[in-house]
Amino acid sequence: MEKYIIKGGKKLSGTACVTSAKNAYLPILAGSLLNDNKILLKKCPKYADVLKMCDIVENLGGKTLLEGNELEIDCSNLNSYIIPHDLASVIRSSIFSLGSILGRFKKAKVAYPGGCEIGARPIDLHLKGLKALNVKIVDKHGYISCDGRNMKGGVVNLDFPSVGATENIMLAAVLTKGETKIINCAKEPEIVDLANFLNMQGAKIYGAGTSVIRIEGVKKLTNSIEYEPIPDRIIAGTLLLSGLMTGGEIQIKRFKQEHNMALLEKVKNSSCTICIKDDILHLKVEGRQKAISKIETMPFPGFPTDLQAQMVACQAVSKGTSIIVENLFETRFKHVPELVKMGAKITVSGRTAVVRGVEKLYGAEVNAQDLRGGAALVMAGLVAEGYTTVNNANHIDRGYYKLENLFGNLGAEIERI
Ligand code: UD1
Protein backbone atom coordinates (compact mmCIF):
# COMPACT_ATOMS: atom_id res chain seq x y z
CA MET A 1 0.00 0.00 0.00
CA GLU A 2 1.43 3.37 -1.00
CA LYS A 3 1.78 6.28 1.41
CA TYR A 4 2.40 10.00 1.53
CA ILE A 5 5.31 11.48 3.43
CA ILE A 6 4.97 15.17 4.16
CA LYS A 7 7.42 17.54 5.78
CA GLY A 8 5.25 20.24 7.30
CA GLY A 9 5.80 23.93 7.67
CA LYS A 10 5.81 25.32 4.13
CA LYS A 11 3.41 28.14 3.29
CA LEU A 12 1.58 27.30 0.06
CA SER A 13 2.18 29.67 -2.82
CA GLY A 14 1.53 29.70 -6.53
CA THR A 15 -1.32 28.64 -8.83
CA ALA A 16 -3.37 25.45 -8.92
CA CYS A 17 -6.08 24.44 -11.36
CA VAL A 18 -9.15 22.50 -10.21
CA THR A 19 -9.75 19.27 -12.15
CA SER A 20 -13.20 18.08 -13.23
CA ALA A 21 -15.71 16.89 -10.67
CA LYS A 22 -15.66 13.21 -9.76
CA ASN A 23 -19.29 13.42 -8.73
CA ALA A 24 -20.24 14.93 -12.09
CA TYR A 25 -18.15 12.52 -14.16
CA LEU A 26 -19.51 9.37 -12.52
CA PRO A 27 -23.24 9.86 -13.22
CA ILE A 28 -22.36 11.30 -16.65
CA LEU A 29 -20.50 8.09 -17.45
CA ALA A 30 -23.56 6.14 -16.33
CA GLY A 31 -25.70 8.47 -18.49
CA SER A 32 -23.53 7.68 -21.52
CA LEU A 33 -25.00 4.19 -21.47
CA LEU A 34 -28.31 5.66 -22.68
CA ASN A 35 -26.98 6.84 -26.05
CA ASP A 36 -25.71 4.64 -28.87
CA ASN A 37 -23.97 7.58 -30.51
CA LYS A 38 -20.39 8.47 -29.62
CA ILE A 39 -19.76 10.89 -26.76
CA LEU A 40 -16.60 12.84 -26.06
CA LEU A 41 -15.99 14.00 -22.51
CA LYS A 42 -13.40 16.72 -22.02
CA LYS A 43 -10.95 17.40 -19.19
CA CYS A 44 -11.28 13.81 -17.96
CA PRO A 45 -9.67 13.43 -14.53
CA LYS A 46 -7.83 10.19 -13.83
CA TYR A 47 -9.35 9.58 -10.40
CA ALA A 48 -9.48 5.89 -9.53
CA ASP A 49 -13.31 6.01 -9.30
CA VAL A 50 -13.63 7.44 -12.81
CA LEU A 51 -11.37 4.70 -14.21
CA LYS A 52 -13.42 2.06 -12.34
CA MET A 53 -16.62 3.49 -13.82
CA CYS A 54 -15.03 3.14 -17.27
CA ASP A 55 -14.44 -0.55 -16.43
CA ILE A 56 -18.15 -0.87 -15.67
CA VAL A 57 -19.08 0.67 -19.04
CA GLU A 58 -16.63 -1.70 -20.77
CA ASN A 59 -18.01 -4.70 -18.91
CA LEU A 60 -21.47 -3.90 -20.26
CA GLY A 61 -20.08 -3.94 -23.82
CA GLY A 62 -19.33 -0.20 -24.19
CA LYS A 63 -15.99 1.14 -25.39
CA THR A 64 -14.02 3.85 -23.58
CA LEU A 65 -10.87 5.43 -24.93
CA LEU A 66 -8.91 7.89 -22.82
CA GLU A 67 -6.44 9.87 -24.90
CA GLY A 68 -4.70 12.74 -23.16
CA ASN A 69 -7.52 14.21 -21.14
CA GLU A 70 -10.33 13.40 -23.59
CA LEU A 71 -12.51 10.39 -22.98
CA GLU A 72 -14.40 8.90 -25.91
CA ILE A 73 -17.33 6.64 -25.08
CA ASP A 74 -19.12 4.39 -27.55
CA CYS A 75 -22.10 2.48 -26.20
CA SER A 76 -23.49 1.40 -29.60
CA ASN A 77 -22.89 -2.28 -28.86
CA LEU A 78 -23.92 -2.75 -25.25
CA ASN A 79 -24.44 -6.45 -24.71
CA SER A 80 -24.95 -6.98 -21.00
CA TYR A 81 -27.41 -5.75 -18.40
CA ILE A 82 -25.49 -7.20 -15.43
CA ILE A 83 -22.95 -5.55 -13.11
CA PRO A 84 -21.21 -8.32 -11.18
CA HIS A 85 -20.21 -8.16 -7.53
CA ASP A 86 -16.46 -7.68 -8.15
CA LEU A 87 -17.10 -4.43 -10.06
CA ALA A 88 -20.06 -3.06 -8.08
CA SER A 89 -18.45 -3.68 -4.69
CA VAL A 90 -15.52 -1.31 -5.34
CA ILE A 91 -17.49 1.77 -6.29
CA ARG A 92 -20.79 3.10 -5.02
CA SER A 93 -21.61 4.89 -8.26
CA SER A 94 -22.15 1.52 -9.92
CA ILE A 95 -25.69 1.94 -8.60
CA PHE A 96 -26.33 4.88 -11.00
CA SER A 97 -25.95 2.48 -13.88
CA LEU A 98 -29.10 0.71 -12.73
CA GLY A 99 -31.34 3.50 -14.09
CA SER A 100 -29.41 3.71 -17.37
CA ILE A 101 -29.27 -0.04 -17.95
CA LEU A 102 -33.03 -0.20 -17.33
CA GLY A 103 -33.53 2.60 -19.86
CA ARG A 104 -31.54 0.70 -22.49
CA PHE A 105 -32.54 -2.93 -21.84
CA LYS A 106 -35.75 -2.63 -19.77
CA LYS A 107 -34.07 -5.06 -17.40
CA ALA A 108 -31.03 -4.88 -15.12
CA LYS A 109 -29.17 -6.95 -12.55
CA VAL A 110 -26.73 -5.08 -10.34
CA ALA A 111 -24.78 -6.26 -7.28
CA TYR A 112 -24.98 -4.13 -4.13
CA PRO A 113 -22.66 -1.10 -4.40
CA GLY A 114 -19.48 -0.39 -2.43
CA GLY A 115 -17.79 2.98 -1.76
CA CYS A 116 -16.41 4.83 1.26
CA GLU A 117 -17.41 3.38 4.62
CA ILE A 118 -18.84 6.56 6.08
CA GLY A 119 -22.26 5.30 7.13
CA ALA A 120 -24.96 2.76 6.34
CA ARG A 121 -25.59 4.18 2.85
CA PRO A 122 -28.81 2.30 2.04
CA ILE A 123 -30.34 2.38 -1.45
CA ASP A 124 -33.99 2.26 -0.44
CA LEU A 125 -34.74 5.66 -2.03
CA HIS A 126 -33.26 4.54 -5.36
CA LEU A 127 -35.44 1.44 -5.33
CA LYS A 128 -38.54 3.30 -4.18
CA GLY A 129 -38.08 5.69 -7.11
CA LEU A 130 -37.71 2.91 -9.65
CA LYS A 131 -40.82 1.18 -8.26
CA ALA A 132 -42.75 4.41 -8.87
CA LEU A 133 -41.75 4.01 -12.55
CA ASN A 134 -43.41 0.57 -12.45
CA VAL A 135 -40.17 -1.41 -12.25
CA LYS A 136 -40.51 -4.83 -10.57
CA ILE A 137 -37.61 -5.42 -8.22
CA VAL A 138 -36.29 -8.61 -6.63
CA ASP A 139 -33.56 -8.13 -4.04
CA LYS A 140 -31.84 -11.49 -3.45
CA HIS A 141 -28.37 -12.96 -2.86
CA GLY A 142 -26.68 -9.52 -2.95
CA TYR A 143 -28.15 -8.63 -6.35
CA ILE A 144 -30.93 -6.24 -7.29
CA SER A 145 -32.79 -7.67 -10.29
CA CYS A 146 -35.13 -5.31 -12.10
CA ASP A 147 -37.83 -6.02 -14.63
CA GLY A 148 -38.69 -2.82 -16.50
CA ARG A 149 -40.85 -4.21 -19.30
CA ASN A 150 -43.85 -2.19 -18.10
CA MET A 151 -41.96 0.99 -17.15
CA LYS A 152 -43.86 4.25 -17.40
CA GLY A 153 -43.51 7.77 -16.03
CA GLY A 154 -44.52 8.33 -12.42
CA VAL A 155 -44.29 10.62 -9.42
CA VAL A 156 -41.47 10.04 -6.95
CA ASN A 157 -41.54 11.82 -3.61
CA LEU A 158 -38.11 11.48 -2.00
CA ASP A 159 -38.06 11.38 1.83
CA PHE A 160 -34.58 12.94 1.66
CA PRO A 161 -32.94 14.81 -1.25
CA SER A 162 -30.50 11.99 -2.02
CA VAL A 163 -28.01 12.87 -4.76
CA GLY A 164 -27.62 9.32 -6.01
CA ALA A 165 -31.34 8.50 -5.95
CA THR A 166 -32.18 11.71 -7.84
CA GLU A 167 -29.59 10.88 -10.51
CA ASN A 168 -30.64 7.25 -10.78
CA ILE A 169 -34.32 8.06 -11.19
CA MET A 170 -33.52 10.81 -13.72
CA LEU A 171 -31.47 8.34 -15.74
CA ALA A 172 -34.21 5.70 -15.59
CA ALA A 173 -36.85 8.21 -16.71
CA VAL A 174 -35.04 9.64 -19.77
CA LEU A 175 -36.07 6.81 -22.13
CA THR A 176 -39.27 5.88 -20.27
CA LYS A 177 -42.62 6.70 -21.84
CA GLY A 178 -44.62 9.44 -20.14
CA GLU A 179 -43.79 12.11 -17.61
CA THR A 180 -41.80 11.54 -14.41
CA LYS A 181 -41.69 14.01 -11.55
CA ILE A 182 -39.11 13.82 -8.76
CA ILE A 183 -40.25 15.84 -5.77
CA ASN A 184 -37.83 16.89 -2.99
CA CYS A 185 -34.94 15.98 -5.26
CA ALA A 186 -31.29 16.94 -4.69
CA LYS A 187 -30.16 20.34 -6.04
CA GLU A 188 -26.39 19.79 -6.24
CA PRO A 189 -24.52 21.37 -9.20
CA GLU A 190 -23.66 17.84 -10.35
CA ILE A 191 -27.40 17.15 -10.85
CA VAL A 192 -27.68 20.23 -13.08
CA ASP A 193 -24.59 19.09 -14.98
CA LEU A 194 -26.06 15.64 -15.58
CA ALA A 195 -29.33 17.17 -16.82
CA ASN A 196 -27.43 19.54 -19.17
CA PHE A 197 -25.38 16.62 -20.50
CA LEU A 198 -28.50 14.53 -21.20
CA ASN A 199 -30.54 17.42 -22.63
CA MET A 200 -27.76 18.19 -25.13
CA GLN A 201 -28.28 14.66 -26.46
CA GLY A 202 -32.04 15.08 -26.81
CA ALA A 203 -33.41 14.29 -23.34
CA LYS A 204 -36.19 16.47 -21.91
CA ILE A 205 -35.35 17.24 -18.31
CA TYR A 206 -36.70 20.39 -16.68
CA GLY A 207 -36.11 21.97 -13.28
CA ALA A 208 -32.67 20.53 -12.40
CA GLY A 209 -31.21 22.64 -9.60
CA THR A 210 -34.65 23.17 -8.01
CA SER A 211 -36.45 20.77 -5.70
CA VAL A 212 -38.76 19.39 -8.42
CA ILE A 213 -37.42 17.81 -11.59
CA ARG A 214 -39.74 16.86 -14.44
CA ILE A 215 -38.66 14.48 -17.16
CA GLU A 216 -40.59 13.87 -20.37
CA GLY A 217 -39.55 10.48 -21.69
CA VAL A 218 -38.10 10.38 -25.22
CA LYS A 219 -37.71 7.36 -27.54
CA LYS A 220 -34.01 7.80 -28.15
CA LEU A 221 -31.04 10.06 -27.44
CA THR A 222 -30.11 11.10 -30.93
CA ASN A 223 -27.17 13.47 -30.66
CA SER A 224 -23.50 12.65 -30.55
CA ILE A 225 -21.96 15.32 -28.32
CA GLU A 226 -18.80 16.75 -26.81
CA TYR A 227 -19.18 17.80 -23.18
CA GLU A 228 -17.01 19.34 -20.47
CA PRO A 229 -18.24 18.43 -16.98
CA ILE A 230 -18.00 21.02 -14.21
CA PRO A 231 -14.90 21.54 -12.03
CA ASP A 232 -14.69 19.74 -8.71
CA ARG A 233 -16.00 22.01 -5.95
CA ILE A 234 -14.58 19.68 -3.29
CA ILE A 235 -11.05 19.93 -4.69
CA ALA A 236 -11.54 23.70 -4.93
CA GLY A 237 -12.54 23.71 -1.25
CA THR A 238 -9.64 21.43 -0.28
CA LEU A 239 -7.23 23.92 -1.87
CA LEU A 240 -8.85 26.96 -0.27
CA LEU A 241 -8.82 25.41 3.22
CA SER A 242 -5.22 24.21 2.74
CA GLY A 243 -4.22 27.76 1.80
CA LEU A 244 -5.93 29.10 4.92
CA MET A 245 -4.20 26.57 7.19
CA THR A 246 -0.71 26.94 5.83
CA GLY A 247 -0.71 30.68 5.19
CA GLY A 248 0.80 32.15 2.08
CA GLU A 249 -0.75 33.29 -1.16
CA ILE A 250 -2.36 31.08 -3.79
CA GLN A 251 -4.49 31.33 -6.91
CA ILE A 252 -7.10 28.67 -7.66
CA LYS A 253 -8.20 28.42 -11.28
CA ARG A 254 -11.60 26.94 -12.29
CA PHE A 255 -13.06 28.03 -8.94
CA LYS A 256 -16.82 28.34 -9.41
CA GLN A 257 -18.08 30.81 -6.85
CA GLU A 258 -21.73 29.76 -7.25
CA HIS A 259 -20.85 26.14 -6.37
CA ASN A 260 -18.90 27.11 -3.26
CA MET A 261 -21.09 29.73 -1.57
CA ALA A 262 -21.53 27.81 1.70
CA LEU A 263 -17.76 27.47 2.12
CA LEU A 264 -17.10 31.09 1.15
CA GLU A 265 -19.71 32.24 3.65
CA LYS A 266 -17.94 30.29 6.42
CA VAL A 267 -14.46 31.62 5.65
CA LYS A 268 -15.48 35.21 4.89
CA ASN A 269 -14.39 36.49 8.32
CA SER A 270 -11.01 34.73 8.25
CA SER A 271 -7.79 36.76 8.42
CA CYS A 272 -7.24 36.76 4.71
CA THR A 273 -8.27 38.46 1.52
CA ILE A 274 -10.25 36.47 -1.02
CA CYS A 275 -10.87 37.88 -4.44
CA ILE A 276 -12.68 36.00 -7.22
CA LYS A 277 -12.71 37.08 -10.85
CA ASP A 278 -13.46 35.03 -13.96
CA ASP A 279 -13.40 31.73 -12.04
CA ILE A 280 -9.97 32.50 -10.54
CA LEU A 281 -9.79 32.79 -6.78
CA HIS A 282 -6.93 34.72 -5.24
CA LEU A 283 -6.22 34.02 -1.57
CA LYS A 284 -3.77 35.94 0.59
CA VAL A 285 -3.55 34.79 4.18
CA GLU A 286 -2.50 36.94 7.13
CA GLY A 287 -1.44 34.87 10.13
CA ARG A 288 -3.27 32.21 12.11
CA GLN A 289 -7.02 31.93 11.56
CA LYS A 290 -9.82 32.52 14.08
CA ALA A 291 -11.98 29.41 14.63
CA ILE A 292 -15.30 29.27 12.78
CA SER A 293 -17.74 28.77 15.63
CA LYS A 294 -20.26 26.38 13.99
CA ILE A 295 -20.40 24.35 10.81
CA GLU A 296 -23.17 21.88 9.93
CA THR A 297 -23.14 19.70 6.83
CA MET A 298 -26.31 19.87 4.75
CA PRO A 299 -27.49 18.98 1.24
CA PHE A 300 -26.62 21.67 -1.36
CA PRO A 301 -26.69 24.66 -1.08
CA GLY A 302 -25.62 23.89 2.51
CA PHE A 303 -22.07 23.11 3.62
CA PRO A 304 -20.93 19.91 1.84
CA THR A 305 -20.27 16.77 3.87
CA ASP A 306 -17.42 16.06 1.44
CA LEU A 307 -15.55 19.07 2.91
CA GLN A 308 -16.25 18.26 6.54
CA ALA A 309 -13.00 16.35 7.16
CA GLN A 310 -10.88 19.05 5.50
CA MET A 311 -12.69 21.69 7.59
CA VAL A 312 -11.97 19.70 10.77
CA ALA A 313 -8.25 19.68 9.84
CA CYS A 314 -8.35 23.43 9.20
CA GLN A 315 -10.11 24.18 12.49
CA ALA A 316 -7.67 21.93 14.37
CA VAL A 317 -5.03 24.66 14.03
CA SER A 318 -7.31 27.71 14.34
CA LYS A 319 -7.55 30.06 17.34
CA GLY A 320 -10.58 29.10 19.44
CA THR A 321 -13.25 26.38 19.41
CA SER A 322 -15.31 25.13 16.51
CA ILE A 323 -18.38 22.87 16.63
CA ILE A 324 -18.77 20.72 13.53
CA VAL A 325 -21.96 18.72 13.01
CA GLU A 326 -22.15 15.93 10.41
CA ASN A 327 -25.78 15.57 9.40
CA LEU A 328 -25.45 13.37 6.32
CA PHE A 329 -23.41 10.31 7.24
CA GLU A 330 -23.35 8.45 10.56
CA THR A 331 -19.68 7.48 10.82
CA ARG A 332 -17.82 10.21 9.00
CA PHE A 333 -15.35 11.21 11.72
CA LYS A 334 -12.75 8.46 11.18
CA HIS A 335 -10.08 11.11 10.53
CA VAL A 336 -10.51 12.48 14.08
CA PRO A 337 -8.53 9.84 16.05
CA GLU A 338 -5.76 10.14 13.45
CA LEU A 339 -5.66 13.94 13.83
CA VAL A 340 -5.57 13.47 17.60
CA LYS A 341 -2.40 11.36 17.14
CA MET A 342 -0.89 14.50 15.60
CA GLY A 343 -1.74 16.59 18.67
CA ALA A 344 -5.19 17.90 17.65
CA LYS A 345 -7.69 18.45 20.47
CA ILE A 346 -10.96 17.10 19.13
CA THR A 347 -13.74 15.18 20.83
CA VAL A 348 -16.60 13.50 19.04
CA SER A 349 -19.98 12.73 20.47
CA GLY A 350 -22.44 11.17 18.04
CA ARG A 351 -22.54 13.42 15.01
CA THR A 352 -20.82 16.40 16.64
CA ALA A 353 -17.11 17.15 16.79
CA VAL A 354 -15.79 19.81 19.16
CA VAL A 355 -12.49 21.08 17.79
CA ARG A 356 -10.30 23.09 20.16
CA GLY A 357 -7.68 24.69 17.98
CA VAL A 358 -4.03 24.17 18.91
CA GLU A 359 -1.03 26.25 17.89
CA LYS A 360 0.90 23.26 16.59
CA LEU A 361 0.33 19.77 15.21
CA TYR A 362 3.19 17.24 15.27
CA GLY A 363 4.12 14.80 12.52
CA ALA A 364 3.00 11.20 13.13
CA GLU A 365 2.18 8.01 11.22
CA VAL A 366 -1.55 8.06 10.47
CA ASN A 367 -3.97 5.98 8.41
CA ALA A 368 -6.31 7.29 5.74
CA GLN A 369 -9.62 5.45 6.17
CA ASP A 370 -11.65 7.10 3.45
CA LEU A 371 -11.24 9.52 0.57
CA ARG A 372 -11.89 12.95 2.11
CA GLY A 373 -10.64 11.97 5.56
CA GLY A 374 -7.39 10.92 3.88
CA ALA A 375 -7.06 14.32 2.20
CA ALA A 376 -7.64 15.99 5.58
CA LEU A 377 -4.70 14.04 7.07
CA VAL A 378 -2.42 15.18 4.26
CA MET A 379 -3.55 18.77 4.93
CA ALA A 380 -2.71 18.35 8.61
CA GLY A 381 0.71 17.04 7.53
CA LEU A 382 1.30 20.26 5.59
CA VAL A 383 1.28 22.30 8.81
CA ALA A 384 2.60 19.74 11.31
CA GLU A 385 6.07 20.02 12.79
CA GLY A 386 8.37 17.34 11.34
CA TYR A 387 7.34 14.41 9.14
CA THR A 388 3.86 12.95 8.72
CA THR A 389 3.23 9.60 7.04
CA VAL A 390 -0.28 9.06 5.66
CA ASN A 391 -0.80 5.36 4.95
CA ASN A 392 -3.37 3.90 2.52
CA ALA A 393 -2.95 6.59 -0.14
CA ASN A 394 -5.21 4.57 -2.43
CA HIS A 395 -8.29 5.93 -0.61
CA ILE A 396 -7.26 9.44 -1.64
CA ASP A 397 -6.73 8.41 -5.28
CA ARG A 398 -10.47 7.77 -5.58
CA GLY A 399 -11.12 11.49 -5.88
CA TYR A 400 -7.76 13.32 -6.23
CA TYR A 401 -5.28 12.68 -9.03
CA LYS A 402 -1.70 12.84 -7.79
CA LEU A 403 -2.38 14.92 -4.71
CA GLU A 404 1.40 15.08 -4.27
CA ASN A 405 1.62 17.19 -7.45
CA LEU A 406 -1.35 19.39 -6.54
CA PHE A 407 0.32 20.39 -3.25
CA GLY A 408 3.93 19.93 -4.49
CA ASN A 409 3.35 22.53 -7.23
CA LEU A 410 2.30 24.96 -4.52
CA GLY A 411 5.60 24.46 -2.73
CA ALA A 412 4.65 21.74 -0.22
CA GLU A 413 7.26 19.10 0.63
CA ILE A 414 5.34 15.94 -0.10
CA GLU A 415 6.29 12.67 -1.69
CA ARG A 416 4.55 9.43 -2.42
CA ILE A 417 6.27 6.10 -1.89
C1 UD1 B 1 -23.24 11.58 -3.15
C2 UD1 B 1 -21.79 11.85 -3.44
C3 UD1 B 1 -20.98 11.87 -2.14
C4 UD1 B 1 -21.58 12.88 -1.16
C5 UD1 B 1 -23.09 12.65 -0.98
C6 UD1 B 1 -23.78 13.72 -0.17
C7 UD1 B 1 -21.46 10.90 -5.63
C8 UD1 B 1 -20.80 9.87 -6.45
N1 UD1 B 1 -21.28 10.81 -4.30
O1 UD1 B 1 -23.31 10.30 -2.53
O2 UD1 B 1 -19.63 12.24 -2.45
O3 UD1 B 1 -20.96 12.73 0.09
O4 UD1 B 1 -23.73 12.60 -2.27
O5 UD1 B 1 -23.58 14.95 -0.73
O6 UD1 B 1 -22.08 11.80 -6.14
N2 UD1 B 1 -29.81 7.70 1.76
C9 UD1 B 1 -30.79 6.82 2.16
N3 UD1 B 1 -31.35 6.00 1.23
C10 UD1 B 1 -30.98 6.03 -0.08
C11 UD1 B 1 -29.98 6.94 -0.49
C12 UD1 B 1 -29.41 7.77 0.47
O7 UD1 B 1 -31.15 6.76 3.34
O8 UD1 B 1 -31.52 5.26 -0.89
C13 UD1 B 1 -29.19 8.57 2.78
C14 UD1 B 1 -27.69 8.26 2.94
O9 UD1 B 1 -27.48 7.20 3.83
C15 UD1 B 1 -27.16 9.57 3.47
C16 UD1 B 1 -28.02 10.61 2.76
O10 UD1 B 1 -29.18 9.91 2.30
O11 UD1 B 1 -27.39 9.65 4.85
C17 UD1 B 1 -27.33 11.28 1.60
O12 UD1 B 1 -26.93 10.34 0.67
P1 UD1 B 1 -26.88 10.63 -0.88
O13 UD1 B 1 -27.21 12.04 -1.16
O14 UD1 B 1 -27.67 9.57 -1.57
O15 UD1 B 1 -25.34 10.38 -1.18
P2 UD1 B 1 -24.71 9.57 -2.37
O16 UD1 B 1 -25.50 9.78 -3.62
O17 UD1 B 1 -24.40 8.19 -1.94
Side-chain angles (χ1 to χ4, degrees), residues 30 32-36 56-63 73-81 100-101 103-105:
S32 304
L33 296 166
L34 289 170
N35 195 339
D36 54 18
I56 288 181
V57 172
E58 294 259 342
N59 202 261
L60 295 166
K63 299 231 167 339
I73 306 160
D74 177 355
C75 290
S76 52
N77 287 312
L78 287 194
N79 54 23
S80 168
Y81 60 92
S100 295
I101 299 172
R104 261 313 264 276
F105 291 96

Side-chain angles (χ1 to χ4, degrees), residues 22-23 26 92-93 96 121-126 160-164 188 305-306 328-329 332:
K22 168 176 90 68
N23 289 353
L26 294 175
R92 178 160 173 93
S93 314
F96 305 144
R121 304 191 90 172
I123 52 166
D124 55 316
L125 300 174
H126 299 243
F160 183 87
S162 152
V163 174
E188 269 66 1
T305 172
D306 288 353
L328 272 90
F329 294 106
R332 204 170 194 181

Side-chain angles (χ1 to χ4, degrees), residues 133-386:
L133 304 192
N134 217 22
V135 177
K136 297 225 161 12
I137 299 175
V138 178
D139 180 351
K140 239 185 186 171
H141 308 304
Y143 275 86
I144 304 142
S145 301
C146 299
D147 175 349
R149 273 173 297 185
N150 297 317
M151 276 171 87
K152 55 177 192 229
V155 177
V156 182
N157 215 321
L158 289 177
D159 301 330
F160 183 87
S162 152
V163 174
T166 302
E167 291 169 341
N168 214 352
I169 300 160
M170 241 163 87
L171 289 167
V174 166
L175 299 182
T176 294
K177 209 169 159 191
E179 181 180 286
T180 296
K181 234 186 207 175
I182 316 174
I183 299 168
N184 193 29
C185 61
K187 297 186 277 209
E188 269 66 1
E190 293 76 18
I191 306 265
V192 179
D193 209 35
L194 177 63
N196 290 342
F197 166 74
L198 294 165
N199 284 345
M200 263 179 87
Q201 297 166 64
K204 293 191 170 168
I205 302 171
Y206 308 96
T210 74
S211 51
V212 179
I213 292 179
R214 192 170 63 79
I215 303 126
E216 281 173 23
V218 295
K219 279 219 171 83
K220 229 174 149 19
L221 293 186
T222 46
N223 304 336
S224 172
I225 63 159
E226 291 185 6
Y227 194 77
E228 183 181 307
I230 54 174
D232 196 306
R233 61 196 165 99
I234 305 305
I235 295 182
T238 304
L239 284 164
L240 177 55
L241 291 171
S242 303
L244 276 180
M245 280 170 84
T246 59
E249 188 169 354
I250 58 171
Q251 282 205 108
I252 310 173
K253 287 186 173 167
R254 289 186 93 208
F255 187 101
K256 290 257 173 227
Q257 184 167 3
E258 65 273 26
H259 296 170
N260 289 292
M261 290 309 287
L263 172 64
L264 290 169
E265 179 61 28
K266 286 293 166 197
V267 300
K268 74 175 184 206
N269 294 326
S270 305
S271 333
C272 65
T273 39
I274 294 177
C275 181
I276 307 170
K277 201 169 166 234
D278 300 332
D279 287 353
I280 301 177
L281 178 141
H282 190 106
L283 170 75
K284 187 166 182 216
V285 182
E286 291 126 30
R288 194 170 155 218
Q289 300 302 313
K290 270 198 313 251
I292 299 167
S293 54
K294 182 139 191 213
I295 298 143
E296 281 203 59
T297 65
M298 290 287 184
F300 190 85
F303 189 87
T305 172
D306 288 353
L307 276 179
Q308 176 260 105
Q310 301 89 317
M311 186 53 114
V312 169
C314 182
Q315 295 308 298
V317 288
S318 296
K319 268 185 276 181
T321 298
S322 180
I323 311 276
I324 301 183
V325 183
E326 172 54 59
N327 286 310
L328 272 90
F329 294 106
E330 303 89 339
T331 54
R332 204 170 194 181
F333 280 125
K334 289 185 178 164
H335 41 285
V336 167
E338 305 301 307
L339 290 169
V340 169
K341 282 188 205 165
M342 299 175 73
K345 292 215 173 345
I346 310 172
T347 49
V348 173
S349 168
R351 288 174 177 243
T352 303
V354 178
V355 186
R356 292 184 178 84
V358 293
E359 218 159 302
K360 245 190 182 45
L361 292 177
Y362 299 93
E365 179 162 349
V366 291
N367 298 317
Q369 319 238 6
D370 57 57
L371 160 58
R372 307 299 172 187
L377 297 179
V378 172
M379 289 165 65
L382 296 177
V383 294
E385 189 177 294

